[in-house]
Amino acid sequence: ALHLEVLSPAQQRQVFAFCQALKEAGHRRQLTGRTFSAPRKWMRGKGRVTVQLGCCYNYARDVANNPPGIIPHERVCGLPPFLHDLLDRMTACGIFTRATRPDSCIINFY
């Protein structure tokens, strides 16, 4: 379902700025473990930059031969307070229940 008016335009800009700041921190190698990944060579329409918070999701078999899926032993940054606040707001709006509230987040930049 599409949920309208959960965030004001100003709050939407905050979320966008937060995501951009995470991407920049990743490029500066300031994020833990496999929190950030980017293609070695960027080609328009090929690949994505990924920020993973709360858990590491492997999209394909990696160099360590881990299969696709969640890799529990890989270190990534946890959910920051900003995202906890956003999830609280979404739960209060009925988008999530306490039982379905996410504990991880993957942000893709194309």
Side-chain angles (χ1 to χ4, degrees):
L2 180 62
H3 298 276
L4 302 174
E5 300 179 18
V6 174
L7 299 174
S8 70
Q11 291 167 324
Q12 291 174 39
R13 287 189 294 275
Q14 281 183 306
V15 171
F16 182 78
F18 173 78
C19 292
Q20 288 298 117
L22 278 174
K23 182 169 90 170
E24 291 167 13
H27 280 297
R28 291 190 303 270
R29 300 180 187 266
Q30 296 174 327
L31 300 176
T32 300
R34 287 178 62 177
T35 300
F36 177 82
S37 65
R40 288 190 183 107
K41 181 179 178 186
W42 187 261
M43 294 174 60
R44 187 178 171 97
K46 305 279 185 190
R48 66 178 164 241
V49 171
T50 303
V51 175
Q52 302 186 74
L53 303 165
C55 74
C56 178
Y57 185 85
N58 207 24
Y59 290 93
R61 196 164 290 279
D62 61 15
V63 295
N65 206 28
N66 290 309
I70 294 174
I71 306 175
H73 61 274
E74 286 288 346
R75 288 183 24 170
V76 295
C77 294
L79 284 176
F82 179 83
L83 287 182
H84 279 290
D85 293 344
L86 182 59
L87 290 168
D88 288 344
R89 182 183 189 95
M90 295 171 87
T91 302
C93 290
I95 296 169
F96 298 116
T97 66
R98 293 181 77 169
T100 62
R101 178 190 159 120
D103 61 0
S104 61
C105 175
I106 298 175
I107 304 166
N108 293 303
F109 299 89
Y110 294 93

